[in-house]
């Protein structure tokens, strides 16, 4: 996790004016009509752009220094390969030379079609089975080769490194809670390691990486009926169950049923290794630690200050301690099914 201190310059998006966004899309080949709508995105800046005599487009401007050009292009190539395999993912438009990553002034951006749809109904077994089929197809394609420029999701990258950064950054965790958080987070990571040890060797494949319900748009009718997967910005290598566990919620019995419905479709296209069940709560724990560091590294970005004003308060860190304590207990509980 790259170091970031309180003097970090977060002004790099300040020059991203409406006129610049429209100019960028127009020089990319579209006749814009002046309509511009900022969409809900904190890591990057994403806009809906009106186009003359056509459907609106989505323009995504990438946060500087987060990904290399090669890593962004690799994400686009992965999405394009999935689309070529007739998997419903939203891919970036290429230019005449086939390039999907574009540059305008100091910014890097990509242009996507606007995908209609709504959040999937995850209480419906048929919906979950349908989702499972396409996630299985994504994983079958993801297993055909490896990422070269994008990182892996593992204990170091999502746990040990962000934890160390949080503890080493001054004035971040309140003094009265720092020792408790340090102890609790270490006990949580110790249990995560035990869960990974129990799981043993599981496949490490290319993943969507952030496959929560907000990144799936469901279409009810027509030729596009079914799920459409969007935003591969967090695509990484990792255990396949990473793309399944975020679709589970509720009590234990609820999650058992939901996972069964997902796998009913998933295993038509890709094998599920049952020992991955040890990783579900471990991956949830890693996400909690990583998310705290992700927020902390961006705490001086004006967009984050406005949206996450509660971050860093004693109440926030006390809640994180409680969540990690709950995760320790969850990891010690039996897996959803016997392994």
């Amino acid at each position: 996790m790259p170091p970031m201190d309180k003097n970090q310059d977060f002004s790099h998006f300040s020059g991203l004016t409406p006129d610049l966004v429209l100019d960028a899309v127009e020089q990319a080949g579209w006749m814009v009509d002046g309509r511009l709508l900022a969409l809900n995105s904190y890591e990057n800046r994403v806009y809906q752009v009106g186009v003359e005599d056509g459907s609106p487009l989505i323009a995504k401007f990438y946060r500087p220094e987060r990904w290399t050009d090669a890593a962004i292009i690799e994400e686009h190539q992965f999405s394009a390969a999935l689309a070529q395999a007739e998997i419903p993912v939203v891919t970036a438009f290429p230019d005449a030379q086939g390039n999907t990553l574009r540059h305008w002034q100091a910014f890097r951006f990509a242009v996507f079609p606007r995908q209609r749809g709504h959040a999937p109904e995850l209480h419906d077994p048929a919906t979950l089975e349908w989702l499972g089929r396409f996630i299985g197809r994504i994983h079958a394609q993801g297993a055909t080769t490896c990422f070269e420029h994008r990182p892996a999701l593992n204990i170091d990258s999502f746990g040990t490194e962000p934890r160390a950064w949080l503890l080493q950054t001054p004035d971040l965790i309140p003094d009265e809670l720092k020792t408790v958080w340090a102890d609790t987070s270490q006990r949580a990571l110790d249990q995560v390691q035990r869960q990974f040890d129990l799981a043993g060797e599981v496949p490490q494949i290319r993943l969507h990486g952030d496959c929560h319900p907000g990144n799936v748009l469901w279409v009810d009718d027509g030729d596009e009926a079914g799920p459409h997967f969007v935003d591969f910005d967090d695509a990484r290598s990792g255990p396949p169950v990473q793309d399944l566990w975020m679709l589970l919620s509720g009590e234990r019995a609820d999650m058992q049923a939901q996972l069964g419905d997902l796998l009913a479709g998933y295993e038509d296209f890709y094998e599920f290794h049952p020992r991955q069940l040890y990783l579900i709560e471990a991956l949830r724990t890693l996400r909690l630690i990583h998310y705290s560091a992700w927020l902390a590294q961006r705490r001086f970005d004006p967009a984050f200050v406005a949206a996450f004003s509660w971050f860093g308060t004693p109440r926030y860190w006390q809640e994180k301690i409680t969540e990690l304590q709950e995760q320790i207990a969850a990891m010690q509980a039996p897996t959803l099914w016997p392994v």
Side-chain angles (χ1 to χ4, degrees), residues 168-242:
Q168 293 165 6
T169 303
D171 305 321
L172 188 56
I173 304 175
D175 289 341
E176 67 272 20
L177 295 173
K178 192 168 187 177
T179 299
V180 179
W181 187 87
D183 175 69
T184 306
S185 59
Q186 185 58 60
R187 289 191 294 113
L189 285 181
D190 290 344
Q191 187 63 46
V192 167
Q193 183 64 64
R194 283 191 283 273
Q195 299 303 108
F196 271 74
D197 291 343
L198 287 168
E201 291 189 12
V202 298
Q204 300 293 305
I205 66 172
R206 295 177 297 169
L207 305 168
H208 181 287
D210 195 27
C211 195
H212 59 75
N215 280 335
V216 180
L217 292 175
W218 193 274
V219 176
D220 293 316
D221 52 19
D223 294 338
E224 293 187 332
H228 296 260
F229 297 84
V230 302
D231 195 2
F232 280 71
D233 196 58
D234 286 300
R236 296 172 179 263
S237 299
V241 74
Q242 168 66 16

Side-chain angles (χ1 to χ4, degrees), residues 18 25 42 48 62 77 86 90 103 144 200 206 215 239 270 278 312:
V25 175
Y42 300 108
Q48 179 176 294
Y62 291 92
Q77 291 171 338
E86 299 185 344
V90 178
H103 297 79
T144 59
R206 295 177 297 169
N215 280 335
Y270 195 70
Y278 287 115

Side-chain angles (χ1 to χ4, degrees), residues 264-315:
Y266 181 89
E267 292 197 293
D268 286 343
F269 297 95
Y270 195 70
E271 181 183 3
F272 181 79
H273 295 256
R275 296 186 74 86
Q276 290 184 90
L277 293 173
Y278 287 115
L279 301 183
I280 290 177
E281 296 303 332
L283 290 166
R284 194 191 310 274
T285 303
L286 291 176
R287 185 176 175 86
L288 288 171
I289 295 172
H290 184 269
Y291 186 64
S292 287
W294 181 77
L295 286 174
Q297 288 187 336
R298 290 149 180 80
R299 66 195 184 282
F300 298 109
D301 181 338
F304 275 77
V305 172
F308 302 99
S309 59
W310 38 260
F311 175 76
T313 62
R315 180 177 178 179

Side-chain angles (χ1 to χ4, degrees), residues 38-110:
L39 302 181
N40 186 24
S41 176
Y42 300 108
E43 183 67 345
N44 304 297
R45 297 294 184 267
V46 183
Y47 303 89
Q48 179 176 294
V49 181
V51 177
E52 291 186 4
D53 300 323
S55 299
L57 302 171
I58 303 299
K60 177 179 180 178
F61 289 77
Y62 291 92
R63 179 177 291 276
E65 302 177 2
R66 184 185 182 218
W67 296 120
T68 64
D69 285 5
I72 296 172
I73 292 168
E74 193 167 49
E75 171 214 329
H76 292 177
Q77 291 171 338
F78 182 38
S79 299
L82 296 175
Q84 289 170 5
E86 299 185 344
I87 299 169
V89 302
V90 178
T91 61
F93 287 113
D95 64 15
Q97 291 73 45
N99 301 312
T100 51
L101 181 61
R102 305 166 187 265
H103 297 79
W104 181 246
Q105 298 189 18
F107 298 97
R108 300 175 298 170
F109 73 103

